[in-house]
Amino acid sequence: FKQKTAYEIVDCDWSSDVCSSDLMAGLWRLPIIYVIENNRYGMGTAIERASSIKDMYRRGETYRIDSAVVDGQDVWEVRDAAQAAIDRARKDYAPTLLEVRTYRYMGHSMSDAVSGTYRTKDELEEYRKRDPINLCKAKLLADKAITDADVEAMEKEIAAVVQDSWDFADASPEPPLEALYEDVYVETTT
C-alpha cells in the first residue's frame, strides 16, 4: 500500500462491518484508529448486562491490534492516548483501538429520564464530580494557564455562538423533502 497524506474520520456503531475492518486492519497492519466511546450504557442497559466482554478494549486483542483503556473524563489522558495512536499509525503504519470510558449525563432520548429508571441520582452526582470540562478548567486555573476573567470571556463567547447558531437554524426555511435523499447513496458507473 502506498501511504496517502489524507486522513479520514469515520463514525459508526460496533457492527459486523467494524469487526471485518478490524480483522483486515490487524492482518494488513493498517494505520487505523478505532475509538469506542464507552458511556457505560447502551440506551438504558448497563454494559454489564449487555456484553460478555466488560473491557471493550480487549476486542482489539482478537485482531492483534494494540489497545488501551482511556479515562474519558480526563482530557489530558485522552489527548496523550490519541497522540500515541496517531504516532503509531504514522510511524509504524499500525492500527490502535482505544476504549474511552466516559459518562452520559443526560438520558438517551427525550423519553429517557436522567435518573431513576436505570441509574441512581448518586451515580450521576459521582460522575458530575469528574466532569471533564470542570476538571480541565480547574487544572488550567491551578497552573495559571488561564484566569477567571479568561473563563468568563470564553463562556460568553460560547453562549453567543450557541445563540447565533440557534437563531440561524430557527430563521432558516425547512429544507425540501427531496433533501432527505441527498448524500445517502453514491451514484456509481459500474
Side-chain angles (χ1 to χ4, degrees), residues 60-119:
E61 294 171 3
T62 305
Y63 307 105
R64 294 180 332 138
I65 295 175
D66 291 323
S67 305
V69 63
V70 183
D71 179 0
Q73 303 299 96
D74 182 337
V75 296
W76 314 112
E77 187 174 327
V78 172
R79 179 199 58 189
D80 292 346
Q83 189 61 60
I86 291 166
D87 292 346
R88 183 178 297 112
R90 289 180 177 160
K91 292 177 185 158
D92 301 336
Y93 217 66
T96 303
L97 185 148
L98 300 175
E99 177 189 355
V100 180
R101 293 182 180 171
T102 187
Y103 196 76
R104 174 170 38 91
Y105 297 113
M106 303 302 291
H108 183 76
S109 67
M110 296 283 289
S111 62
D112 186 3
V114 173
S115 65
T117 50
Y118 57 89
R119 58 186 180 176

Side-chain angles (χ1 to χ4, degrees), residues 26-161:
L27 283 172
W28 293 349
R29 304 303 290 163
L30 301 176
I32 296 174
I33 302 168
Y34 296 98
V35 178
I36 299 174
E37 180 185 346
N38 180 358
N39 65 26
R40 298 190 57 221
Y41 295 98
M43 295 185 71
T45 305
I47 194 167
E48 294 82 15
R49 293 181 41 226
S51 176
S52 61
I53 299 174
K54 309 295 186 284
D55 296 318
M56 296 289 124
Y57 74 95
R58 300 201 61 197
R59 292 179 179 209
E61 294 171 3
T62 305
Y63 307 105
R64 294 180 332 138
I65 295 175
D66 291 323
S67 305
V69 63
V70 183
D71 179 0
Q73 303 299 96
D74 182 337
V75 296
W76 314 112
E77 187 174 327
V78 172
R79 179 199 58 189
D80 292 346
Q83 189 61 60
I86 291 166
D87 292 346
R88 183 178 297 112
R90 289 180 177 160
K91 292 177 185 158
D92 301 336
Y93 217 66
T96 303
L97 185 148
L98 300 175
E99 177 189 355
V100 180
R101 293 182 180 171
T102 187
Y103 196 76
R104 174 170 38 91
Y105 297 113
M106 303 302 291
H108 183 76
S109 67
M110 296 283 289
S111 62
D112 186 3
V114 173
S115 65
T117 50
Y118 57 89
R119 58 186 180 176
T120 66
K121 281 188 174 186
D122 290 340
E123 176 184 307
L124 186 60
E125 288 308 312
E126 279 303 307
Y127 274 93
R128 285 197 185 279
K129 291 177 186 173
R130 296 202 62 245
D131 179 275
I133 294 172
N134 292 336
L135 292 176
C136 180
K137 178 173 69 174
K139 179 172 177 23
L140 291 172
L141 286 167
D143 291 349
K144 300 196 184 322
I146 60 173
T147 66
D148 287 326
D150 294 330
V151 171
E152 187 176 329
M154 282 187 270
E155 288 174 348
K156 283 182 182 177
E157 181 181 352
I158 291 165
V161 168

